[in-house]
Amino acid sequence: MINFQNDDGGGLRHFRIGTRLILGFGAILLILVAMAGIDRVLNDQSKTKLLEGLKAAEAKSRLATKMKGALLEGGISLRNMGLTSDLDLLQKAQKTTEVERAVFVETRNNFVALGLTQVEKGIIDNITEIDKQLQAPVREATVQALAFNPEGAAKILTDRVDSLNQQMIKEINALVDNQQAAADEVLVRYNADDRKLKLLLLFSCVVAVVIGGVLAWIITLSIISPLREAVSFAKEVASGRLSSKFSVLGRDEVSELALAVKEMVRCLSIAYDKLRDLSRYDALTGVRNRGYFIERFDAEWRRAHRAKDVISLLMVDIDHFKNVNDCYGHPCGDVCLQHVANTIKQAMHRSGDEIFRYGGEEFVILLASTDLDGALHIAELIRHQVEILEFFYEGKKIPITVSIGAAATIPDSIASAQTLLGNADRALYEAKQSGRNKVCVHPMDR
């Protein structure tokens, strides 16, 4: 006599049907509220970024304009110094030049303090460099003006100062234009973000509808499915194929019997799948074992034969592996095998390519729909990745290389799976005999 009991009820069936419906609609409402809140926060952040960007661009534009004004005013005062012979006017012009120079430097420093983009940094660097070049001729012109030598001062201004001033004005104009471009870019980003937010909101609405449908389906299924299972089991009992006693517990309107049976079958199925899967893996390296290779190779061979498709094999052997075990011990050899297996797996990018531990330090790689050139490419990649592998054991670096044999064929009535395996093995033997750490190929059978 079999007795199935479940004291908890478990999952949705722990709740009554009305409670499930309330939970489902409550979840949908919560999603909608969360969507609205997220949309509000993102909108506020986007507007804040817009205002900050425009404010920064406006402030920098004002400073750049002020720099330009100070430069022009200083230039006018400097030229006035060279044109007057009145000492009072000369001293006044000199004072104005110094004041405008101080304003220019202070404004430039204030601009830098606001933070610079890469473009702005380049322009400011150019302005600073031109300003350095400008100081020497300005001082010379000032000396000539103070010496009441207007011709000398005018010549210096014309020949050396004016051209540098023009370059400076050009750079400042570029700085002003850059701020306008920055403001335009902020607006463009804001518009783009606004469009993204609208799309996000639309997508969220779709997601909410989908989630609502899924929840409705799950709730409906949680009601109908156990009822069907209970009816089915009742028929089984009524037919006399089972003799069992059931204790129905819990607060659900539906019998716990169907849930208990379903859970039992599910657990048995999971346990069986895990056991079968574990039997196909090599416990040390974590890759598939030789037994599963035989199964997969046979299935892939038959598929390729039906499709007239090419199939390739790579036989990989760790060079001088016995020396690793002899010199560093078998634990080191085990770690070495694990590193090589992981390296091979990382070098294989297609989901259909499979690696197996064939035995000892030997691996085999099954490449579906891969010709000899493709197999050679993968083999060279694996060989290189293993060669550059940084393998340390107990603080000692141990060099690792592999030899690889490659073979490919299109299965027909003449060639056999064992022929392809033998060709790959012979190519591996050739690679090891010819110096190791290399890839040798067997000509493709057609």
Side-chain angles (χ1 to χ4, degrees):
M1 183 175 292
I2 306 173
N3 187 9
F4 297 91
Q5 293 187 357
N6 189 340
D7 294 333
D8 295 328
L12 288 175
R13 291 173 62 179
H14 180 75
F15 302 98
R16 292 195 173 270
I17 294 174
T19 304
R20 298 180 205 175
L21 294 174
I22 292 173
L23 290 174
F25 285 116
I28 296 174
L29 181 61
L30 183 62
I31 292 171
L32 293 174
V33 172
M35 286 165 42
I38 293 172
D39 179 68
R40 176 64 180 272
V41 171
L42 293 178
N43 254 317
D44 290 343
Q45 290 179 348
S46 182
K47 290 178 181 178
T48 300
K49 289 181 180 178
L50 171 66
L51 294 176
E52 290 177 352
L54 292 177
K55 183 178 179 181
E58 181 183 0
K60 288 183 176 181
S61 181
R62 286 199 305 268
L63 290 173
T65 303
K66 187 176 181 180
M67 286 171 58
K68 182 177 179 180
L71 179 67
L72 293 174
E73 289 295 330
I76 293 172
S77 298
L78 184 62
R79 187 165 293 278
N80 288 338
M81 288 175 61
L83 296 177
T84 183
S85 58
D86 185 273
L87 181 60
D88 290 337
L89 294 177
L90 187 63
Q91 291 176 342
K92 183 178 179 181
Q94 182 184 8
K95 181 63 176 178
T96 301
T97 302
E98 292 173 352
V99 169
E100 294 300 331
R101 163 68 182 168
V103 170
F104 174 85
V105 172
E106 181 185 4
T107 306
R108 182 183 62 190
N109 293 338
N110 290 339
F111 190 101
V112 172
L114 292 177
L116 301 177
T117 65
Q118 197 63 31
V119 174
E120 291 169 346
K121 184 178 183 304
I123 297 174
I124 289 294
D125 288 344
N126 292 339
I127 291 174
T128 303
E129 181 60 30
I130 295 171
D131 185 55
K132 290 179 181 179
Q133 298 175 17
L134 190 62
Q135 296 314 303
V138 166
R139 285 193 296 269
E140 294 175 14
T142 301
V143 170
Q144 293 296 326
L146 293 175
F148 298 101
N149 183 8
E151 291 82 8
K155 180 174 178 56
I156 294 172
L157 291 173
T158 301
D159 294 345
R160 298 166 62 187
V161 174
D162 287 348
S163 60
L164 291 174
N165 272 335
Q166 290 301 319
Q167 294 178 36
M168 185 88 77
I169 291 173
K170 182 178 179 181
E171 293 295 334
I172 294 175
N173 287 338
L175 202 60
V176 174
D177 294 339
N178 183 70
Q179 300 317 307
Q180 182 59 50
D184 293 340
E185 183 179 354
V186 169
L187 290 172
V188 169
R189 284 202 304 267
Y190 174 78
N191 291 330
D193 290 341
D194 185 62
R195 287 192 296 270
K196 289 179 182 178
L197 285 174
K198 290 178 180 177
L199 290 175
L200 178 61
L201 184 60
L202 178 61
F203 175 77
S204 300
C205 291
V206 173
V207 170
V209 171
V210 172
I211 292 176
V214 171
L215 287 175
W217 177 78
I218 292 175
I219 292 172
T220 302
L221 189 64
S222 72
I223 298 170
I224 296 176
S225 179
L227 284 173
R228 289 176 177 172
E229 292 174 2
V231 171
S232 177
F233 195 85
K235 289 180 179 179
E236 291 288 327
V237 174
S239 66
R241 283 176 286 188
L242 290 176
S243 177
S244 56
K245 180 181 178 181
F246 292 89
S247 298
V248 180
L249 303 174
R251 292 172 294 175
D252 193 359
E253 293 90 345
V254 183
S255 170
E256 293 290 328
L257 169 62
L259 181 61
V261 173
K262 184 177 180 180
E263 184 67 14
M264 180 188 68
V265 173
R266 186 185 70 84
C267 292
L268 289 175
S269 177
I270 291 174
Y272 173 75
D273 290 342
K274 286 182 178 180
L275 182 61
R276 182 180 60 182
D277 204 41
L278 286 173
S279 69
R280 294 174 172 176
Y281 278 94
D282 176 61
L284 176 62
T285 61
V287 301
R288 302 286 190 173
N289 58 26
R290 182 169 181 168
Y292 188 58
F293 164 70
I294 295 172
E295 180 183 338
R296 284 291 302 119
F297 187 30
D298 179 67
E300 183 56 33
W301 182 271
R302 286 185 277 106
R303 184 207 64 80
H305 181 268
R306 291 193 304 269
K308 304 299 181 185
D309 194 10
V310 64
I311 182 174
S312 297
L313 281 182
L314 300 179
M315 298 291 290
V316 183
D317 189 87
I318 302 176
D319 296 328
H320 305 295
F321 184 71
K322 184 176 182 301
N323 293 342
V324 175
N325 280 332
D326 292 344
C327 295
Y328 303 98
H330 287 279
C332 176
D334 292 345
V335 177
C336 176
L337 285 168
Q338 293 168 350
H339 277 68
V340 171
N342 289 333
T343 302
I344 294 174
K345 285 193 292 185
Q346 291 172 5
M348 295 163 54
H349 302 297
R350 297 192 316 170
S351 59
D353 298 341
E354 298 180 84
I355 173 178
F356 308 84
R357 186 180 179 190
Y358 197 66
E361 68 272 23
E362 197 170 37
F363 298 88
V364 61
I365 300 170
L366 177 61
L367 304 173
S369 302
T370 303
D371 59 17
L372 196 56
D373 290 338
L376 180 60
H377 172 76
I378 295 174
E380 283 291 350
L381 179 61
I382 292 172
R383 186 203 63 77
H384 175 71
Q385 291 297 326
V386 173
E387 183 180 26
I388 65 175
L389 177 63
E390 295 284 338
F391 177 49
F392 291 87
Y393 187 79
E394 294 184 349
K396 298 178 181 179
K397 182 178 180 181
I398 303 174
I400 305 175
T401 61
V402 294
S403 298
I404 303 177
T409 190
I410 299 176
D412 55 26
S413 58
I414 300 175
S416 68
Q418 292 305 313
T419 300
L420 178 61
L421 189 61
N423 289 341
D425 193 56
R426 281 189 286 275
L428 172 62
Y429 179 80
E430 180 183 345
K432 296 185 76 67
Q433 290 297 311
S434 58
R436 293 183 171 85
N437 191 24
K438 60 173 58 180
V439 177
C440 288
V441 299
H442 190 282
M444 180 175 172
D445 295 328
R446 295 185 182 275

